[in-house]
PDB file of all heavy atoms in Angstrom:
ATOM      1  N   GLU A 131      24.425  -5.428  -2.348  1.00 95.00           N
ATOM      2  CA  GLU A 131      25.814  -5.038  -2.572  1.00 95.00           C
ATOM      3  C   GLU A 131      26.421  -5.757  -3.774  1.00 95.00           C
ATOM      4  O   GLU A 131      27.314  -5.222  -4.443  1.00 95.00           O
ATOM      5  CB  GLU A 131      26.635  -5.286  -1.296  1.00 95.00           C
ATOM      6  CG  GLU A 131      27.959  -4.536  -1.326  1.00 95.00           C
ATOM      7  CD  GLU A 131      28.854  -4.826  -0.124  1.00 95.00           C
ATOM      8  OE1 GLU A 131      28.343  -5.229   0.942  1.00 95.00           O
ATOM      9  OE2 GLU A 131      30.084  -4.656  -0.278  1.00 95.00           O
ATOM     10  N   VAL A 132      25.900  -6.955  -4.082  1.00 97.00           N
ATOM     11  CA  VAL A 132      26.480  -7.682  -5.234  1.00 97.00           C
ATOM     12  C   VAL A 132      26.328  -6.868  -6.525  1.00 97.00           C
ATOM     13  O   VAL A 132      27.156  -6.978  -7.428  1.00 97.00           O
ATOM     14  CB  VAL A 132      25.859  -9.084  -5.454  1.00 97.00           C
ATOM     15  CG1 VAL A 132      26.155 -10.004  -4.291  1.00 97.00           C
ATOM     16  CG2 VAL A 132      24.389  -9.025  -5.764  1.00 97.00           C
ATOM     17  N   VAL A 133      25.295  -6.052  -6.607  1.00 97.00           N
ATOM     18  CA  VAL A 133      25.061  -5.305  -7.852  1.00 97.00           C
ATOM     19  C   VAL A 133      26.219  -4.327  -8.090  1.00 97.00           C
ATOM     20  O   VAL A 133      26.769  -4.237  -9.200  1.00 97.00           O
ATOM     21  CB  VAL A 133      23.711  -4.541  -7.803  1.00 97.00           C
ATOM     22  CG1 VAL A 133      23.457  -3.820  -9.115  1.00 97.00           C
ATOM     23  CG2 VAL A 133      22.561  -5.497  -7.483  1.00 97.00           C
ATOM     24  N   ALA A 134      26.595  -3.603  -7.033  1.00 97.00           N
ATOM     25  CA  ALA A 134      27.685  -2.632  -7.174  1.00 97.00           C
ATOM     26  C   ALA A 134      28.985  -3.342  -7.563  1.00 97.00           C
ATOM     27  O   ALA A 134      29.720  -2.886  -8.453  1.00 97.00           O
ATOM     28  CB  ALA A 134      27.860  -1.856  -5.876  1.00 97.00           C
ATOM     29  N   HIS A 135      29.258  -4.477  -6.901  1.00 97.00           N
ATOM     30  CA  HIS A 135      30.502  -5.196  -7.208  1.00 97.00           C
ATOM     31  C   HIS A 135      30.483  -5.752  -8.630  1.00 97.00           C
ATOM     32  O   HIS A 135      31.510  -5.743  -9.316  1.00 97.00           O
ATOM     33  CB  HIS A 135      30.714  -6.322  -6.193  1.00 97.00           C
ATOM     34  CG  HIS A 135      31.119  -5.829  -4.845  1.00 97.00           C
ATOM     35  ND1 HIS A 135      32.427  -5.595  -4.477  1.00 97.00           N
ATOM     36  CD2 HIS A 135      30.366  -5.482  -3.773  1.00 97.00           C
ATOM     37  CE1 HIS A 135      32.472  -5.155  -3.227  1.00 97.00           C
ATOM     38  NE2 HIS A 135      31.223  -5.069  -2.777  1.00 97.00           N
ATOM     39  N   LEU A 136      29.337  -6.256  -9.046  1.00 98.00           N
ATOM     40  CA  LEU A 136      29.247  -6.805 -10.405  1.00 98.00           C
ATOM     41  C   LEU A 136      29.548  -5.730 -11.448  1.00 98.00           C
ATOM     42  O   LEU A 136      30.326  -5.946 -12.379  1.00 98.00           O
ATOM     43  CB  LEU A 136      27.831  -7.333 -10.661  1.00 98.00           C
ATOM     44  CG  LEU A 136      27.535  -8.816 -10.520  1.00 98.00           C
ATOM     45  CD1 LEU A 136      26.106  -9.098 -10.957  1.00 98.00           C
ATOM     46  CD2 LEU A 136      28.512  -9.671 -11.322  1.00 98.00           C
ATOM     47  N   VAL A 137      28.898  -4.563 -11.282  1.00 98.00           N
ATOM     48  CA  VAL A 137      29.119  -3.493 -12.266  1.00 98.00           C
ATOM     49  C   VAL A 137      30.597  -3.098 -12.239  1.00 98.00           C
ATOM     50  O   VAL A 137      31.236  -2.922 -13.290  1.00 98.00           O
ATOM     51  CB  VAL A 137      28.204  -2.280 -12.001  1.00 98.00           C
ATOM     52  CG1 VAL A 137      28.495  -1.155 -12.981  1.00 98.00           C
ATOM     53  CG2 VAL A 137      26.735  -2.688 -12.094  1.00 98.00           C
ATOM     54  N   GLU A 138      31.154  -2.999 -11.045  1.00 97.00           N
ATOM     55  CA  GLU A 138      32.566  -2.629 -10.929  1.00 97.00           C
ATOM     56  C   GLU A 138      33.464  -3.666 -11.611  1.00 97.00           C
ATOM     57  O   GLU A 138      34.442  -3.330 -12.279  1.00 97.00           O
ATOM     58  CB  GLU A 138      32.935  -2.491  -9.446  1.00 97.00           C
ATOM     59  CG  GLU A 138      33.931  -1.387  -9.203  1.00 97.00           C
ATOM     60  CD  GLU A 138      34.105  -1.115  -7.713  1.00 97.00           C
ATOM     61  OE1 GLU A 138      34.673  -1.981  -7.021  1.00 97.00           O
ATOM     62  OE2 GLU A 138      33.673  -0.058  -7.261  1.00 97.00           O
ATOM     63  N   GLU A 139      33.072  -4.921 -11.462  1.00 97.00           N
ATOM     64  CA  GLU A 139      33.832  -6.013 -12.078  1.00 97.00           C
ATOM     65  C   GLU A 139      33.818  -5.884 -13.603  1.00 97.00           C
ATOM     66  O   GLU A 139      34.810  -6.143 -14.280  1.00 97.00           O
ATOM     67  CB  GLU A 139      33.195  -7.351 -11.646  1.00 97.00           C
ATOM     68  CG  GLU A 139      33.763  -8.601 -12.283  1.00 97.00           C
ATOM     69  CD  GLU A 139      35.159  -8.954 -11.761  1.00 97.00           C
ATOM     70  OE1 GLU A 139      35.562  -8.401 -10.724  1.00 97.00           O
ATOM     71  OE2 GLU A 139      35.847  -9.758 -12.441  1.00 97.00           O
ATOM     72  N   TYR A 140      32.660  -5.467 -14.147  1.00 97.00           N
ATOM     73  CA  TYR A 140      32.509  -5.441 -15.606  1.00 97.00           C
ATOM     74  C   TYR A 140      32.986  -4.136 -16.238  1.00 97.00           C
ATOM     75  O   TYR A 140      33.180  -4.081 -17.457  1.00 97.00           O
ATOM     76  CB  TYR A 140      31.046  -5.676 -15.993  1.00 97.00           C
ATOM     77  CG  TYR A 140      30.533  -7.068 -15.638  1.00 97.00           C
ATOM     78  CD1 TYR A 140      29.200  -7.273 -15.300  1.00 97.00           C
ATOM     79  CD2 TYR A 140      31.379  -8.181 -15.653  1.00 97.00           C
ATOM     80  CE1 TYR A 140      28.726  -8.542 -14.980  1.00 97.00           C
ATOM     81  CE2 TYR A 140      30.919  -9.443 -15.325  1.00 97.00           C
ATOM     82  CZ  TYR A 140      29.599  -9.620 -14.989  1.00 97.00           C
ATOM     83  OH  TYR A 140      29.147 -10.870 -14.678  1.00 97.00           O
ATOM     84  N   LEU A 141      33.153  -3.085 -15.427  1.00 97.00           N
ATOM     85  CA  LEU A 141      33.498  -1.777 -16.013  1.00 97.00           C
ATOM     86  C   LEU A 141      34.778  -1.800 -16.864  1.00 97.00           C
ATOM     87  O   LEU A 141      34.773  -1.284 -18.004  1.00 97.00           O
ATOM     88  CB  LEU A 141      33.623  -0.713 -14.913  1.00 97.00           C
ATOM     89  CG  LEU A 141      32.332   0.032 -14.532  1.00 97.00           C
ATOM     90  CD1 LEU A 141      32.555   0.884 -13.291  1.00 97.00           C
ATOM     91  CD2 LEU A 141      31.817   0.884 -15.684  1.00 97.00           C
ATOM     92  N   PRO A 142      35.867  -2.393 -16.352  1.00 96.00           N
ATOM     93  CA  PRO A 142      37.112  -2.309 -17.135  1.00 96.00           C
ATOM     94  C   PRO A 142      36.987  -2.919 -18.535  1.00 96.00           C
ATOM     95  O   PRO A 142      37.568  -2.413 -19.490  1.00 96.00           O
ATOM     96  CB  PRO A 142      38.125  -3.095 -16.298  1.00 96.00           C
ATOM     97  CG  PRO A 142      37.553  -3.103 -14.918  1.00 96.00           C
ATOM     98  CD  PRO A 142      36.075  -3.089 -15.076  1.00 96.00           C
ATOM     99  N   GLY A 143      36.207  -3.984 -18.673  1.00 95.00           N
ATOM    100  CA  GLY A 143      36.125  -4.644 -19.984  1.00 95.00           C
ATOM    101  C   GLY A 143      34.978  -4.150 -20.851  1.00 95.00           C
ATOM    102  O   GLY A 143      34.773  -4.665 -21.957  1.00 95.00           O
ATOM    103  N   ALA A 144      34.232  -3.181 -20.358  1.00 97.00           N
ATOM    104  CA  ALA A 144      33.038  -2.770 -21.105  1.00 97.00           C
ATOM    105  C   ALA A 144      33.330  -1.567 -21.983  1.00 97.00           C
ATOM    106  O   ALA A 144      34.138  -0.706 -21.636  1.00 97.00           O
ATOM    107  CB  ALA A 144      31.915  -2.428 -20.130  1.00 97.00           C
ATOM    108  N   ALA A 145      32.623  -1.524 -23.144  1.00 97.00           N
ATOM    109  CA  ALA A 145      32.821  -0.396 -24.054  1.00 97.00           C
ATOM    110  C   ALA A 145      32.294   0.882 -23.421  1.00 97.00           C
ATOM    111  O   ALA A 145      32.869   1.961 -23.581  1.00 97.00           O
ATOM    112  CB  ALA A 145      32.099  -0.674 -25.372  1.00 97.00           C
ATOM    113  N   THR A 146      31.180   0.772 -22.702  1.00 97.00           N
ATOM    114  CA  THR A 146      30.589   1.946 -22.042  1.00 97.00           C
ATOM    115  C   THR A 146      30.110   1.530 -20.653  1.00 97.00           C
ATOM    116  O   THR A 146      29.844   0.334 -20.417  1.00 97.00           O
ATOM    117  CB  THR A 146      29.347   2.460 -22.817  1.00 97.00           C
ATOM    118  OG1 THR A 146      28.348   1.420 -22.759  1.00 97.00           O
ATOM    119  CG2 THR A 146      29.660   2.790 -24.263  1.00 97.00           C
ATOM    120  N   PRO A 147      29.936   2.504 -19.754  1.00 97.00           N
ATOM    121  CA  PRO A 147      29.381   2.165 -18.434  1.00 97.00           C
ATOM    122  C   PRO A 147      28.001   1.518 -18.557  1.00 97.00           C
ATOM    123  O   PRO A 147      27.648   0.631 -17.789  1.00 97.00           O
ATOM    124  CB  PRO A 147      29.291   3.530 -17.731  1.00 97.00           C
ATOM    125  CG  PRO A 147      30.310   4.383 -18.411  1.00 97.00           C
ATOM    126  CD  PRO A 147      30.359   3.920 -19.840  1.00 97.00           C
ATOM    127  N   ARG A 148      27.240   1.952 -19.565  1.00 97.00           N
ATOM    128  CA  ARG A 148      25.917   1.348 -19.761  1.00 97.00           C
ATOM    129  C   ARG A 148      26.040  -0.150 -20.019  1.00 97.00           C
ATOM    130  O   ARG A 148      25.252  -0.959 -19.522  1.00 97.00           O
ATOM    131  CB  ARG A 148      25.204   2.038 -20.936  1.00 97.00           C
ATOM    132  CG  ARG A 148      23.801   1.548 -21.147  1.00 97.00           C
ATOM    133  CD  ARG A 148      23.195   1.981 -22.458  1.00 97.00           C
ATOM    134  NE  ARG A 148      21.892   1.370 -22.610  1.00 97.00           N
ATOM    135  CZ  ARG A 148      21.693   0.086 -22.892  1.00 97.00           C
ATOM    136  NH1 ARG A 148      22.721  -0.729 -23.087  1.00 97.00           N
ATOM    137  NH2 ARG A 148      20.472  -0.406 -22.979  1.00 97.00           N
ATOM    138  N   ASP A 149      27.061  -0.538 -20.811  1.00 97.00           N
ATOM    139  CA  ASP A 149      27.257  -1.964 -21.102  1.00 97.00           C
ATOM    140  C   ASP A 149      27.577  -2.743 -19.831  1.00 97.00           C
ATOM    141  O   ASP A 149      27.110  -3.868 -19.637  1.00 97.00           O
ATOM    142  CB  ASP A 149      28.397  -2.154 -22.111  1.00 97.00           C
ATOM    143  CG  ASP A 149      27.992  -1.680 -23.502  1.00 97.00           C
ATOM    144  OD1 ASP A 149      26.791  -1.408 -23.700  1.00 97.00           O
ATOM    145  OD2 ASP A 149      28.881  -1.564 -24.369  1.00 97.00           O
ATOM    146  N   ALA A 150      28.398  -2.138 -18.973  1.00 97.00           N
ATOM    147  CA  ALA A 150      28.733  -2.820 -17.709  1.00 97.00           C
ATOM    148  C   ALA A 150      27.465  -2.980 -16.878  1.00 97.00           C
ATOM    149  O   ALA A 150      27.225  -4.027 -16.258  1.00 97.00           O
ATOM    150  CB  ALA A 150      29.778  -2.012 -16.945  1.00 97.00           C
ATOM    151  N   PHE A 151      26.646  -1.935 -16.881  1.00 98.00           N
ATOM    152  CA  PHE A 151      25.401  -1.977 -16.109  1.00 98.00           C
ATOM    153  C   PHE A 151      24.481  -3.085 -16.634  1.00 98.00           C
ATOM    154  O   PHE A 151      24.000  -3.928 -15.879  1.00 98.00           O
ATOM    155  CB  PHE A 151      24.721  -0.607 -16.183  1.00 98.00           C
ATOM    156  CG  PHE A 151      23.385  -0.539 -15.491  1.00 98.00           C
ATOM    157  CD1 PHE A 151      23.272  -0.810 -14.132  1.00 98.00           C
ATOM    158  CD2 PHE A 151      22.233  -0.199 -16.195  1.00 98.00           C
ATOM    159  CE1 PHE A 151      22.034  -0.742 -13.489  1.00 98.00           C
ATOM    160  CE2 PHE A 151      20.997  -0.130 -15.558  1.00 98.00           C
ATOM    161  CZ  PHE A 151      20.902  -0.406 -14.207  1.00 98.00           C
ATOM    162  N   THR A 152      24.262  -3.093 -17.950  1.00 98.00           N
ATOM    163  CA  THR A 152      23.308  -4.078 -18.493  1.00 98.00           C
ATOM    164  C   THR A 152      23.863  -5.503 -18.359  1.00 98.00           C
ATOM    165  O   THR A 152      23.115  -6.449 -18.124  1.00 98.00           O
ATOM    166  CB  THR A 152      22.955  -3.791 -19.966  1.00 98.00           C
ATOM    167  OG1 THR A 152      24.165  -3.644 -20.704  1.00 98.00           O
ATOM    168  CG2 THR A 152      22.134  -2.532 -20.103  1.00 98.00           C
ATOM    169  N   ARG A 153      25.181  -5.649 -18.481  1.00 97.00           N
ATOM    170  CA  ARG A 153      25.751  -6.988 -18.314  1.00 97.00           C
ATOM    171  C   ARG A 153      25.501  -7.483 -16.874  1.00 97.00           C
ATOM    172  O   ARG A 153      25.152  -8.643 -16.659  1.00 97.00           O
ATOM    173  CB  ARG A 153      27.256  -6.945 -18.618  1.00 97.00           C
ATOM    174  CG  ARG A 153      27.871  -8.308 -18.628  1.00 97.00           C
ATOM    175  CD  ARG A 153      29.297  -8.306 -19.149  1.00 97.00           C
ATOM    176  NE  ARG A 153      29.936  -9.572 -18.836  1.00 97.00           N
ATOM    177  CZ  ARG A 153      31.234  -9.751 -18.699  1.00 97.00           C
ATOM    178  NH1 ARG A 153      32.067  -8.723 -18.883  1.00 97.00           N
ATOM    179  NH2 ARG A 153      31.729 -10.932 -18.398  1.00 97.00           N
ATOM    180  N   ALA A 154      25.686  -6.569 -15.927  1.00 98.00           N
ATOM    181  CA  ALA A 154      25.447  -6.940 -14.518  1.00 98.00           C
ATOM    182  C   ALA A 154      23.973  -7.264 -14.308  1.00 98.00           C
ATOM    183  O   ALA A 154      23.624  -8.270 -13.677  1.00 98.00           O
ATOM    184  CB  ALA A 154      25.883  -5.801 -13.599  1.00 98.00           C
ATOM    185  N   VAL A 155      23.100  -6.440 -14.838  1.00 98.00           N
ATOM    186  CA  VAL A 155      21.657  -6.661 -14.649  1.00 98.00           C
ATOM    187  C   VAL A 155      21.252  -8.016 -15.238  1.00 98.00           C
ATOM    188  O   VAL A 155      20.426  -8.741 -14.670  1.00 98.00           O
ATOM    189  CB  VAL A 155      20.835  -5.506 -15.286  1.00 98.00           C
ATOM    190  CG1 VAL A 155      19.344  -5.826 -15.281  1.00 98.00           C
ATOM    191  CG2 VAL A 155      21.099  -4.199 -14.549  1.00 98.00           C
TER     192      VAL A 155
END
Side-chain angles (χ1 to χ4, degrees):
E131 197 184 336
V132 295
V133 182
H135 287 273
L136 261 186
V137 177
E138 216 170 69
E139 175 72 15
Y140 294 149
L141 271 171
T146 64
R148 184 193 175 286
D149 289 349
F151 177 60
T152 51
R153 187 171 166 205
V155 171

